[in-house]
PDB file of all heavy atoms in Angstrom:
ATOM      1  N   MET L 641     -51.591 -22.746 -21.955  1.00 93.00           N
ATOM      2  CA  MET L 641     -52.978 -23.077 -21.987  1.00 93.00           C
ATOM      3  C   MET L 641     -53.286 -24.577 -21.944  1.00 93.00           C
ATOM      4  O   MET L 641     -54.228 -25.089 -21.306  1.00 93.00           O
ATOM      5  CB  MET L 641     -53.582 -22.547 -23.320  1.00 93.00           C
ATOM      6  CG  MET L 641     -53.786 -21.008 -23.300  1.00 93.00           C
ATOM      7  SD  MET L 641     -54.830 -20.434 -22.041  1.00 93.00           S
ATOM      8  CE  MET L 641     -53.562 -19.532 -21.007  1.00 93.00           C
ATOM      9  N   ASP L 642     -52.379 -25.450 -22.530  1.00 94.00           N
ATOM     10  CA  ASP L 642     -52.551 -26.891 -22.530  1.00 94.00           C
ATOM     11  C   ASP L 642     -51.610 -27.532 -21.508  1.00 94.00           C
ATOM     12  O   ASP L 642     -51.814 -28.664 -21.187  1.00 94.00           O
ATOM     13  CB  ASP L 642     -52.353 -27.524 -23.915  1.00 94.00           C
ATOM     14  CG  ASP L 642     -53.471 -27.106 -24.865  1.00 94.00           C
ATOM     15  OD1 ASP L 642     -54.583 -26.831 -24.365  1.00 94.00           O
ATOM     16  OD2 ASP L 642     -53.186 -26.993 -26.068  1.00 94.00           O
ATOM     17  N   GLY L 643     -50.580 -26.824 -21.085  1.00 94.00           N
ATOM     18  CA  GLY L 643     -49.585 -27.431 -20.185  1.00 94.00           C
ATOM     19  C   GLY L 643     -48.650 -28.422 -20.781  1.00 94.00           C
ATOM     20  O   GLY L 643     -48.090 -29.241 -20.027  1.00 94.00           O
ATOM     21  N   ASP L 644     -48.508 -28.456 -22.109  1.00 96.00           N
ATOM     22  CA  ASP L 644     -47.552 -29.392 -22.751  1.00 96.00           C
ATOM     23  C   ASP L 644     -46.204 -28.746 -22.907  1.00 96.00           C
ATOM     24  O   ASP L 644     -46.011 -27.500 -22.766  1.00 96.00           O
ATOM     25  CB  ASP L 644     -48.087 -29.873 -24.130  1.00 96.00           C
ATOM     26  CG  ASP L 644     -48.407 -28.694 -25.024  1.00 96.00           C
ATOM     27  OD1 ASP L 644     -48.740 -27.578 -24.648  1.00 96.00           O
ATOM     28  OD2 ASP L 644     -48.399 -28.900 -26.260  1.00 96.00           O
ATOM     29  N   VAL L 645     -45.228 -29.561 -23.166  1.00 98.00           N
ATOM     30  CA  VAL L 645     -43.806 -29.187 -23.138  1.00 98.00           C
ATOM     31  C   VAL L 645     -43.162 -29.449 -24.520  1.00 98.00           C
ATOM     32  O   VAL L 645     -43.495 -30.488 -25.182  1.00 98.00           O
ATOM     33  CB  VAL L 645     -43.040 -29.969 -21.994  1.00 98.00           C
ATOM     34  CG1 VAL L 645     -41.569 -29.724 -22.181  1.00 98.00           C
ATOM     35  CG2 VAL L 645     -43.563 -29.637 -20.685  1.00 98.00           C
ATOM     36  N   ALA L 646     -42.296 -28.552 -24.966  1.00 98.00           N
ATOM     37  CA  ALA L 646     -41.633 -28.684 -26.295  1.00 98.00           C
ATOM     38  C   ALA L 646     -40.537 -29.656 -26.230  1.00 98.00           C
ATOM     39  O   ALA L 646     -39.892 -29.870 -25.228  1.00 98.00           O
ATOM     40  CB  ALA L 646     -41.053 -27.295 -26.632  1.00 98.00           C
ATOM     41  N   PRO L 647     -40.306 -30.361 -27.373  1.00 98.00           N
ATOM     42  CA  PRO L 647     -39.249 -31.359 -27.453  1.00 98.00           C
ATOM     43  C   PRO L 647     -37.902 -30.598 -27.736  1.00 98.00           C
ATOM     44  O   PRO L 647     -37.408 -30.521 -28.817  1.00 98.00           O
ATOM     45  CB  PRO L 647     -39.564 -32.145 -28.619  1.00 98.00           C
ATOM     46  CG  PRO L 647     -40.403 -31.325 -29.537  1.00 98.00           C
ATOM     47  CD  PRO L 647     -41.173 -30.375 -28.577  1.00 98.00           C
ATOM     48  N   ILE L 648     -37.369 -29.955 -26.709  1.00 98.00           N
ATOM     49  CA  ILE L 648     -36.207 -28.966 -26.883  1.00 98.00           C
ATOM     50  C   ILE L 648     -35.081 -29.582 -27.475  1.00 98.00           C
ATOM     51  O   ILE L 648     -34.421 -29.007 -28.474  1.00 98.00           O
ATOM     52  CB  ILE L 648     -35.924 -28.313 -25.476  1.00 98.00           C
ATOM     53  CG1 ILE L 648     -37.074 -27.597 -24.910  1.00 98.00           C
ATOM     54  CG2 ILE L 648     -34.722 -27.454 -25.665  1.00 98.00           C
ATOM     55  CD1 ILE L 648     -36.870 -27.019 -23.613  1.00 98.00           C
ATOM     56  N   HIS L 649     -34.581 -30.799 -27.028  1.00 98.00           N
ATOM     57  CA  HIS L 649     -33.437 -31.436 -27.586  1.00 98.00           C
ATOM     58  C   HIS L 649     -33.653 -31.714 -29.044  1.00 98.00           C
ATOM     59  O   HIS L 649     -32.692 -31.586 -29.887  1.00 98.00           O
ATOM     60  CB  HIS L 649     -33.051 -32.717 -26.831  1.00 98.00           C
ATOM     61  CG  HIS L 649     -32.240 -32.359 -25.639  1.00 98.00           C
ATOM     62  ND1 HIS L 649     -30.970 -31.891 -25.594  1.00 98.00           N
ATOM     63  CD2 HIS L 649     -32.589 -32.510 -24.311  1.00 98.00           C
ATOM     64  CE1 HIS L 649     -30.549 -31.746 -24.380  1.00 98.00           C
ATOM     65  NE2 HIS L 649     -31.528 -32.103 -23.517  1.00 98.00           N
ATOM     66  N   ALA L 650     -34.804 -32.183 -29.466  1.00 98.00           N
ATOM     67  CA  ALA L 650     -35.146 -32.436 -30.879  1.00 98.00           C
ATOM     68  C   ALA L 650     -35.047 -31.261 -31.702  1.00 98.00           C
ATOM     69  O   ALA L 650     -34.486 -31.272 -32.907  1.00 98.00           O
ATOM     70  CB  ALA L 650     -36.406 -33.219 -31.052  1.00 98.00           C
ATOM     71  N   ILE L 651     -35.576 -30.081 -31.179  1.00 98.00           N
ATOM     72  CA  ILE L 651     -35.495 -28.898 -31.933  1.00 98.00           C
ATOM     73  C   ILE L 651     -34.069 -28.409 -32.025  1.00 98.00           C
ATOM     74  O   ILE L 651     -33.625 -27.942 -33.113  1.00 98.00           O
ATOM     75  CB  ILE L 651     -36.375 -27.836 -31.200  1.00 98.00           C
ATOM     76  CG1 ILE L 651     -37.805 -28.275 -31.231  1.00 98.00           C
ATOM     77  CG2 ILE L 651     -36.141 -26.402 -31.776  1.00 98.00           C
ATOM     78  CD1 ILE L 651     -38.737 -27.434 -30.310  1.00 98.00           C
ATOM     79  N   CYS L 652     -33.324 -28.531 -30.960  1.00 98.00           N
ATOM     80  CA  CYS L 652     -31.871 -28.152 -31.031  1.00 98.00           C
ATOM     81  C   CYS L 652     -31.130 -28.995 -32.008  1.00 98.00           C
ATOM     82  O   CYS L 652     -30.082 -28.547 -32.661  1.00 98.00           O
ATOM     83  CB  CYS L 652     -31.277 -28.145 -29.622  1.00 98.00           C
ATOM     84  SG  CYS L 652     -31.909 -26.818 -28.535  1.00 98.00           S
ATOM     85  N   ASP L 653     -31.482 -30.317 -32.042  1.00 98.00           N
ATOM     86  CA  ASP L 653     -30.739 -31.169 -33.018  1.00 98.00           C
ATOM     87  C   ASP L 653     -30.969 -30.603 -34.488  1.00 98.00           C
ATOM     88  O   ASP L 653     -29.998 -30.642 -35.281  1.00 98.00           O
ATOM     89  CB  ASP L 653     -31.393 -32.615 -32.913  1.00 98.00           C
ATOM     90  CG  ASP L 653     -30.930 -33.337 -31.708  1.00 98.00           C
ATOM     91  OD1 ASP L 653     -29.975 -32.920 -31.070  1.00 98.00           O
ATOM     92  OD2 ASP L 653     -31.508 -34.363 -31.364  1.00 98.00           O
ATOM     93  N   LEU L 654     -32.167 -30.241 -34.764  1.00 98.00           N
ATOM     94  CA  LEU L 654     -32.440 -29.675 -36.060  1.00 98.00           C
ATOM     95  C   LEU L 654     -31.739 -28.360 -36.325  1.00 98.00           C
ATOM     96  O   LEU L 654     -31.202 -28.039 -37.386  1.00 98.00           O
ATOM     97  CB  LEU L 654     -33.954 -29.487 -36.302  1.00 98.00           C
ATOM     98  CG  LEU L 654     -34.844 -30.711 -36.356  1.00 98.00           C
ATOM     99  CD1 LEU L 654     -36.283 -30.450 -36.508  1.00 98.00           C
ATOM    100  CD2 LEU L 654     -34.316 -31.662 -37.451  1.00 98.00           C
ATOM    101  N   ALA L 655     -31.717 -27.504 -35.230  1.00 98.00           N
ATOM    102  CA  ALA L 655     -31.008 -26.296 -35.347  1.00 98.00           C
ATOM    103  C   ALA L 655     -29.458 -26.467 -35.670  1.00 98.00           C
ATOM    104  O   ALA L 655     -28.920 -25.729 -36.462  1.00 98.00           O
ATOM    105  CB  ALA L 655     -31.097 -25.420 -34.076  1.00 98.00           C
ATOM    106  N   ASP L 656     -28.946 -27.460 -34.991  1.00 98.00           N
ATOM    107  CA  ASP L 656     -27.535 -27.829 -35.217  1.00 98.00           C
ATOM    108  C   ASP L 656     -27.328 -28.271 -36.697  1.00 98.00           C
ATOM    109  O   ASP L 656     -26.432 -27.882 -37.433  1.00 98.00           O
ATOM    110  CB  ASP L 656     -27.010 -28.882 -34.319  1.00 98.00           C
ATOM    111  CG  ASP L 656     -26.927 -28.376 -32.881  1.00 98.00           C
ATOM    112  OD1 ASP L 656     -26.959 -27.097 -32.671  1.00 98.00           O
ATOM    113  OD2 ASP L 656     -26.872 -29.211 -31.950  1.00 98.00           O
ATOM    114  N   ARG L 657     -28.231 -29.117 -37.133  1.00 98.00           N
ATOM    115  CA  ARG L 657     -28.150 -29.809 -38.456  1.00 98.00           C
ATOM    116  C   ARG L 657     -28.333 -28.766 -39.619  1.00 98.00           C
ATOM    117  O   ARG L 657     -27.677 -28.842 -40.625  1.00 98.00           O
ATOM    118  CB  ARG L 657     -29.239 -30.831 -38.602  1.00 98.00           C
ATOM    119  CG  ARG L 657     -28.986 -31.762 -39.825  1.00 98.00           C
ATOM    120  CD  ARG L 657     -30.080 -32.891 -39.811  1.00 98.00           C
ATOM    121  NE  ARG L 657     -30.003 -33.602 -38.562  1.00 98.00           N
ATOM    122  CZ  ARG L 657     -31.045 -34.196 -37.979  1.00 98.00           C
ATOM    123  NH1 ARG L 657     -32.194 -34.199 -38.534  1.00 98.00           N
ATOM    124  NH2 ARG L 657     -30.918 -34.873 -36.823  1.00 98.00           N
ATOM    125  N   TYR L 658     -29.189 -27.742 -39.366  1.00 98.00           N
ATOM    126  CA  TYR L 658     -29.457 -26.784 -40.500  1.00 98.00           C
ATOM    127  C   TYR L 658     -28.986 -25.392 -40.156  1.00 98.00           C
ATOM    128  O   TYR L 658     -29.409 -24.433 -40.787  1.00 98.00           O
ATOM    129  CB  TYR L 658     -31.070 -26.795 -40.676  1.00 98.00           C
ATOM    130  CG  TYR L 658     -31.531 -28.145 -41.246  1.00 98.00           C
ATOM    131  CD1 TYR L 658     -32.102 -29.059 -40.373  1.00 98.00           C
ATOM    132  CD2 TYR L 658     -31.330 -28.499 -42.598  1.00 98.00           C
ATOM    133  CE1 TYR L 658     -32.515 -30.283 -40.866  1.00 98.00           C
ATOM    134  CE2 TYR L 658     -31.798 -29.708 -43.062  1.00 98.00           C
ATOM    135  CZ  TYR L 658     -32.366 -30.598 -42.139  1.00 98.00           C
ATOM    136  OH  TYR L 658     -32.855 -31.828 -42.666  1.00 98.00           O
ATOM    137  N   ASN L 659     -28.084 -25.279 -39.181  1.00 98.00           N
ATOM    138  CA  ASN L 659     -27.428 -24.051 -38.890  1.00 98.00           C
ATOM    139  C   ASN L 659     -28.456 -22.940 -38.571  1.00 98.00           C
ATOM    140  O   ASN L 659     -28.412 -21.852 -39.168  1.00 98.00           O
ATOM    141  CB  ASN L 659     -26.479 -23.641 -40.083  1.00 98.00           C
ATOM    142  CG  ASN L 659     -25.555 -22.577 -39.657  1.00 98.00           C
ATOM    143  OD1 ASN L 659     -25.200 -22.430 -38.509  1.00 98.00           O
ATOM    144  ND2 ASN L 659     -25.061 -21.778 -40.675  1.00 98.00           N
ATOM    145  N   ALA L 660     -29.306 -23.161 -37.660  1.00 98.00           N
ATOM    146  CA  ALA L 660     -30.319 -22.149 -37.170  1.00 98.00           C
ATOM    147  C   ALA L 660     -30.053 -21.708 -35.786  1.00 98.00           C
ATOM    148  O   ALA L 660     -29.508 -22.541 -34.966  1.00 98.00           O
ATOM    149  CB  ALA L 660     -31.703 -22.715 -37.368  1.00 98.00           C
ATOM    150  N   MET L 661     -30.464 -20.530 -35.490  1.00 98.00           N
ATOM    151  CA  MET L 661     -30.500 -20.036 -34.089  1.00 98.00           C
ATOM    152  C   MET L 661     -31.818 -20.486 -33.278  1.00 98.00           C
ATOM    153  O   MET L 661     -32.821 -20.729 -34.022  1.00 98.00           O
ATOM    154  CB  MET L 661     -30.410 -18.497 -34.009  1.00 98.00           C
ATOM    155  CG  MET L 661     -29.077 -17.996 -34.192  1.00 98.00           C
ATOM    156  SD  MET L 661     -28.990 -16.148 -33.820  1.00 98.00           S
ATOM    157  CE  MET L 661     -29.331 -16.117 -32.107  1.00 98.00           C
ATOM    158  N   THR L 662     -31.651 -20.650 -32.058  1.00 98.00           N
ATOM    159  CA  THR L 662     -32.916 -21.057 -31.263  1.00 98.00           C
ATOM    160  C   THR L 662     -33.245 -19.924 -30.194  1.00 98.00           C
ATOM    161  O   THR L 662     -32.259 -19.365 -29.575  1.00 98.00           O
ATOM    162  CB  THR L 662     -32.723 -22.352 -30.559  1.00 98.00           C
ATOM    163  OG1 THR L 662     -31.450 -22.362 -29.858  1.00 98.00           O
ATOM    164  CG2 THR L 662     -32.762 -23.490 -31.581  1.00 98.00           C
ATOM    165  N   TYR L 663     -34.476 -19.673 -30.041  1.00 98.00           N
ATOM    166  CA  TYR L 663     -35.007 -18.736 -29.083  1.00 98.00           C
ATOM    167  C   TYR L 663     -36.135 -19.415 -28.347  1.00 98.00           C
ATOM    168  O   TYR L 663     -37.189 -19.690 -28.963  1.00 98.00           O
ATOM    169  CB  TYR L 663     -35.454 -17.379 -29.785  1.00 98.00           C
ATOM    170  CG  TYR L 663     -36.067 -16.323 -28.873  1.00 98.00           C
ATOM    171  CD1 TYR L 663     -35.333 -15.122 -28.799  1.00 98.00           C
ATOM    172  CD2 TYR L 663     -37.280 -16.504 -28.299  1.00 98.00           C
ATOM    173  CE1 TYR L 663     -35.952 -14.153 -27.964  1.00 98.00           C
ATOM    174  CE2 TYR L 663     -37.787 -15.406 -27.548  1.00 98.00           C
ATOM    175  CZ  TYR L 663     -37.096 -14.302 -27.368  1.00 98.00           C
ATOM    176  OH  TYR L 663     -37.665 -13.245 -26.588  1.00 98.00           O
ATOM    177  N   VAL L 664     -36.069 -19.590 -27.055  1.00 98.00           N
ATOM    178  CA  VAL L 664     -37.089 -20.267 -26.276  1.00 98.00           C
ATOM    179  C   VAL L 664     -37.642 -19.304 -25.191  1.00 98.00           C
ATOM    180  O   VAL L 664     -36.956 -18.665 -24.461  1.00 98.00           O
ATOM    181  CB  VAL L 664     -36.629 -21.572 -25.717  1.00 98.00           C
ATOM    182  CG1 VAL L 664     -35.528 -21.364 -24.653  1.00 98.00           C
ATOM    183  CG2 VAL L 664     -37.772 -22.371 -25.023  1.00 98.00           C
ATOM    184  N   ASP L 665     -38.961 -19.386 -25.041  1.00 98.00           N
ATOM    185  CA  ASP L 665     -39.696 -18.666 -24.092  1.00 98.00           C
ATOM    186  C   ASP L 665     -39.974 -19.512 -22.857  1.00 98.00           C
ATOM    187  O   ASP L 665     -40.640 -20.542 -23.015  1.00 98.00           O
ATOM    188  CB  ASP L 665     -41.065 -18.181 -24.699  1.00 98.00           C
ATOM    189  CG  ASP L 665     -41.999 -17.433 -23.725  1.00 98.00           C
ATOM    190  OD1 ASP L 665     -42.047 -17.921 -22.511  1.00 98.00           O
ATOM    191  OD2 ASP L 665     -42.698 -16.525 -24.102  1.00 98.00           O
ATOM    192  N   GLU L 666     -39.388 -19.225 -21.715  1.00 98.00           N
ATOM    193  CA  GLU L 666     -39.476 -20.027 -20.515  1.00 98.00           C
ATOM    194  C   GLU L 666     -40.448 -19.440 -19.472  1.00 98.00           C
ATOM    195  O   GLU L 666     -40.302 -19.763 -18.257  1.00 98.00           O
ATOM    196  CB  GLU L 666     -38.114 -20.205 -19.908  1.00 98.00           C
ATOM    197  CG  GLU L 666     -37.223 -21.273 -20.702  1.00 98.00           C
ATOM    198  CD  GLU L 666     -37.296 -22.646 -20.028  1.00 98.00           C
ATOM    199  OE1 GLU L 666     -38.384 -23.024 -19.484  1.00 98.00           O
ATOM    200  OE2 GLU L 666     -36.281 -23.388 -20.039  1.00 98.00           O
ATOM    201  N   VAL L 667     -41.321 -18.438 -19.881  1.00 98.00           N
ATOM    202  CA  VAL L 667     -41.960 -17.782 -18.773  1.00 98.00           C
ATOM    203  C   VAL L 667     -42.803 -18.528 -17.876  1.00 98.00           C
ATOM    204  O   VAL L 667     -43.015 -18.183 -16.698  1.00 98.00           O
ATOM    205  CB  VAL L 667     -42.862 -16.530 -19.457  1.00 98.00           C
ATOM    206  CG1 VAL L 667     -41.969 -15.602 -20.144  1.00 98.00           C
ATOM    207  CG2 VAL L 667     -43.937 -17.183 -20.336  1.00 98.00           C
ATOM    208  N   HIS L 668     -43.414 -19.607 -18.384  1.00 98.00           N
ATOM    209  CA  HIS L 668     -44.281 -20.418 -17.515  1.00 98.00           C
ATOM    210  C   HIS L 668     -43.495 -21.658 -16.888  1.00 98.00           C
ATOM    211  O   HIS L 668     -44.144 -22.548 -16.374  1.00 98.00           O
ATOM    212  CB  HIS L 668     -45.493 -21.011 -18.344  1.00 98.00           C
ATOM    213  CG  HIS L 668     -46.425 -19.930 -18.602  1.00 98.00           C
ATOM    214  ND1 HIS L 668     -47.398 -19.411 -17.753  1.00 98.00           N
ATOM    215  CD2 HIS L 668     -46.615 -19.133 -19.772  1.00 98.00           C
ATOM    216  CE1 HIS L 668     -48.072 -18.467 -18.371  1.00 98.00           C
ATOM    217  NE2 HIS L 668     -47.634 -18.250 -19.580  1.00 98.00           N
ATOM    218  N   ALA L 669     -42.209 -21.536 -16.866  1.00 98.00           N
ATOM    219  CA  ALA L 669     -41.373 -22.557 -16.362  1.00 98.00           C
ATOM    220  C   ALA L 669     -40.250 -22.163 -15.364  1.00 98.00           C
ATOM    221  O   ALA L 669     -39.861 -22.914 -14.567  1.00 98.00           O
ATOM    222  CB  ALA L 669     -40.744 -23.450 -17.565  1.00 98.00           C
ATOM    223  N   VAL L 670     -39.733 -20.962 -15.656  1.00 98.00           N
ATOM    224  CA  VAL L 670     -38.643 -20.456 -14.715  1.00 98.00           C
ATOM    225  C   VAL L 670     -39.058 -20.445 -13.325  1.00 98.00           C
ATOM    226  O   VAL L 670     -40.247 -20.025 -13.036  1.00 98.00           O
ATOM    227  CB  VAL L 670     -38.083 -19.061 -15.197  1.00 98.00           C
ATOM    228  CG1 VAL L 670     -37.293 -19.189 -16.413  1.00 98.00           C
ATOM    229  CG2 VAL L 670     -39.203 -18.053 -15.341  1.00 98.00           C
ATOM    230  N   GLY L 671     -38.282 -20.846 -12.414  1.00 98.00           N
ATOM    231  CA  GLY L 671     -38.508 -20.897 -11.097  1.00 98.00           C
ATOM    232  C   GLY L 671     -39.072 -22.286 -10.677  1.00 98.00           C
ATOM    233  O   GLY L 671     -38.908 -22.672  -9.520  1.00 98.00           O
ATOM    234  N   MET L 672     -39.840 -22.888 -11.495  1.00 98.00           N
ATOM    235  CA  MET L 672     -40.664 -24.049 -11.211  1.00 98.00           C
ATOM    236  C   MET L 672     -40.067 -25.435 -11.670  1.00 98.00           C
ATOM    237  O   MET L 672     -40.428 -26.489 -11.121  1.00 98.00           O
ATOM    238  CB  MET L 672     -41.993 -23.961 -11.845  1.00 98.00           C
ATOM    239  CG  MET L 672     -42.814 -22.830 -11.210  1.00 98.00           C
ATOM    240  SD  MET L 672     -44.408 -22.531 -12.149  1.00 98.00           S
ATOM    241  CE  MET L 672     -43.719 -21.623 -13.541  1.00 98.00           C
ATOM    242  N   TYR L 673     -39.074 -25.282 -12.618  1.00 98.00           N
ATOM    243  CA  TYR L 673     -38.596 -26.647 -13.033  1.00 98.00           C
ATOM    244  C   TYR L 673     -37.001 -26.481 -13.135  1.00 98.00           C
ATOM    245  O   TYR L 673     -36.403 -25.356 -13.229  1.00 98.00           O
ATOM    246  CB  TYR L 673     -39.038 -26.920 -14.501  1.00 98.00           C
ATOM    247  CG  TYR L 673     -40.598 -27.130 -14.507  1.00 98.00           C
ATOM    248  CD1 TYR L 673     -41.461 -26.107 -14.618  1.00 98.00           C
ATOM    249  CD2 TYR L 673     -41.053 -28.431 -14.346  1.00 98.00           C
ATOM    250  CE1 TYR L 673     -42.782 -26.326 -14.583  1.00 98.00           C
ATOM    251  CE2 TYR L 673     -42.447 -28.666 -14.334  1.00 98.00           C
ATOM    252  CZ  TYR L 673     -43.275 -27.625 -14.490  1.00 98.00           C
ATOM    253  OH  TYR L 673     -44.584 -27.839 -14.498  1.00 98.00           O
ATOM    254  N   GLY L 674     -36.380 -27.678 -13.021  1.00 98.00           N
ATOM    255  CA  GLY L 674     -34.898 -27.654 -13.014  1.00 98.00           C
ATOM    256  C   GLY L 674     -34.367 -27.636 -11.609  1.00 98.00           C
ATOM    257  O   GLY L 674     -35.037 -27.155 -10.671  1.00 98.00           O
ATOM    258  N   LYS L 675     -33.044 -28.075 -11.421  1.00 97.00           N
ATOM    259  CA  LYS L 675     -32.503 -28.069 -10.042  1.00 97.00           C
ATOM    260  C   LYS L 675     -32.462 -26.815  -9.396  1.00 97.00           C
ATOM    261  O   LYS L 675     -32.533 -26.634  -8.179  1.00 97.00           O
ATOM    262  CB  LYS L 675     -31.108 -28.728 -10.190  1.00 97.00           C
ATOM    263  CG  LYS L 675     -30.390 -29.078  -8.868  1.00 97.00           C
ATOM    264  CD  LYS L 675     -29.132 -29.718  -9.117  1.00 97.00           C
ATOM    265  CE  LYS L 675     -28.473 -30.032  -7.712  1.00 97.00           C
ATOM    266  NZ  LYS L 675     -27.104 -30.744  -7.918  1.00 97.00           N
ATOM    267  N   ARG L 676     -32.139 -25.738 -10.145  1.00 98.00           N
ATOM    268  CA  ARG L 676     -32.088 -24.352  -9.578  1.00 98.00           C
ATOM    269  C   ARG L 676     -33.237 -23.454 -10.082  1.00 98.00           C
ATOM    270  O   ARG L 676     -33.085 -22.231  -9.873  1.00 98.00           O
ATOM    271  CB  ARG L 676     -30.773 -23.734 -10.006  1.00 98.00           C
ATOM    272  CG  ARG L 676     -29.527 -24.556  -9.527  1.00 98.00           C
ATOM    273  CD  ARG L 676     -28.304 -23.665  -9.619  1.00 98.00           C
ATOM    274  NE  ARG L 676     -28.145 -22.969 -10.917  1.00 98.00           N
ATOM    275  CZ  ARG L 676     -27.469 -21.825 -11.052  1.00 98.00           C
ATOM    276  NH1 ARG L 676     -26.881 -21.223 -10.083  1.00 98.00           N
ATOM    277  NH2 ARG L 676     -27.311 -21.321 -12.246  1.00 98.00           N
ATOM    278  N   GLY L 677     -34.224 -24.045 -10.730  1.00 98.00           N
ATOM    279  CA  GLY L 677     -35.361 -23.108 -11.208  1.00 98.00           C
ATOM    280  C   GLY L 677     -35.129 -22.451 -12.448  1.00 98.00           C
ATOM    281  O   GLY L 677     -35.736 -21.456 -12.782  1.00 98.00           O
ATOM    282  N   GLY L 678     -34.221 -23.045 -13.322  1.00 98.00           N
ATOM    283  CA  GLY L 678     -33.899 -22.473 -14.612  1.00 98.00           C
ATOM    284  C   GLY L 678     -34.897 -22.730 -15.703  1.00 98.00           C
ATOM    285  O   GLY L 678     -34.736 -22.382 -16.813  1.00 98.00           O
ATOM    286  N   GLY L 679     -35.930 -23.628 -15.306  1.00 98.00           N
ATOM    287  CA  GLY L 679     -37.045 -23.852 -16.335  1.00 98.00           C
ATOM    288  C   GLY L 679     -36.783 -25.238 -16.955  1.00 98.00           C
ATOM    289  O   GLY L 679     -36.089 -26.086 -16.394  1.00 98.00           O
ATOM    290  N   ILE L 680     -37.567 -25.456 -18.045  1.00 98.00           N
ATOM    291  CA  ILE L 680     -37.525 -26.797 -18.733  1.00 98.00           C
ATOM    292  C   ILE L 680     -36.137 -27.081 -19.306  1.00 98.00           C
ATOM    293  O   ILE L 680     -35.640 -28.160 -19.324  1.00 98.00           O
ATOM    294  CB  ILE L 680     -38.532 -26.861 -19.778  1.00 98.00           C
ATOM    295  CG1 ILE L 680     -40.011 -26.718 -19.167  1.00 98.00           C
ATOM    296  CG2 ILE L 680     -38.521 -28.188 -20.578  1.00 98.00           C
ATOM    297  CD1 ILE L 680     -40.397 -27.801 -18.120  1.00 98.00           C
ATOM    298  N   THR L 681     -35.517 -25.963 -19.763  1.00 98.00           N
ATOM    299  CA  THR L 681     -34.118 -26.096 -20.307  1.00 98.00           C
ATOM    300  C   THR L 681     -33.141 -26.571 -19.200  1.00 98.00           C
ATOM    301  O   THR L 681     -32.214 -27.323 -19.497  1.00 98.00           O
ATOM    302  CB  THR L 681     -33.648 -24.882 -20.940  1.00 98.00           C
ATOM    303  OG1 THR L 681     -33.794 -23.734 -20.042  1.00 98.00           O
ATOM    304  CG2 THR L 681     -34.359 -24.526 -22.258  1.00 98.00           C
ATOM    305  N   ASP L 682     -33.393 -26.164 -17.986  1.00 98.00           N
ATOM    306  CA  ASP L 682     -32.579 -26.536 -16.906  1.00 98.00           C
ATOM    307  C   ASP L 682     -32.883 -28.062 -16.470  1.00 98.00           C
ATOM    308  O   ASP L 682     -32.003 -28.833 -16.395  1.00 98.00           O
ATOM    309  CB  ASP L 682     -32.893 -25.671 -15.690  1.00 98.00           C
ATOM    310  CG  ASP L 682     -32.132 -25.997 -14.457  1.00 98.00           C
ATOM    311  OD1 ASP L 682     -31.195 -26.817 -14.454  1.00 98.00           O
ATOM    312  OD2 ASP L 682     -32.386 -25.331 -13.379  1.00 98.00           O
TER     313      ASP L 682
END
């Protein structure tokens, strides 16, 4: 709706620090971002 992007690395840093799993929704990014279209994580 706003077109903003999550700070994925910062979130993953916290997940590593506090032993949490991460689940990311890439539906509005797959195909469109990344060298092969893998999304913002790509």
Side-chain angles (χ1 to χ4, degrees):
M641 289 300 114
D642 292 332
D644 56 331
V645 172
I648 298 176
H649 278 292
I651 293 169
C652 290
D653 287 343
L654 293 179
D656 291 344
R657 190 175 306 153
Y658 296 98
N659 195 26
M661 281 188 66
T662 48
Y663 179 112
V664 64
D665 174 321
E666 283 263 36
V667 298
H668 291 278
V670 287
M672 294 170 281
Y673 296 87
K675 187 176 180 181
R676 299 198 310 155
I680 301 296
T681 52
D682 181 8

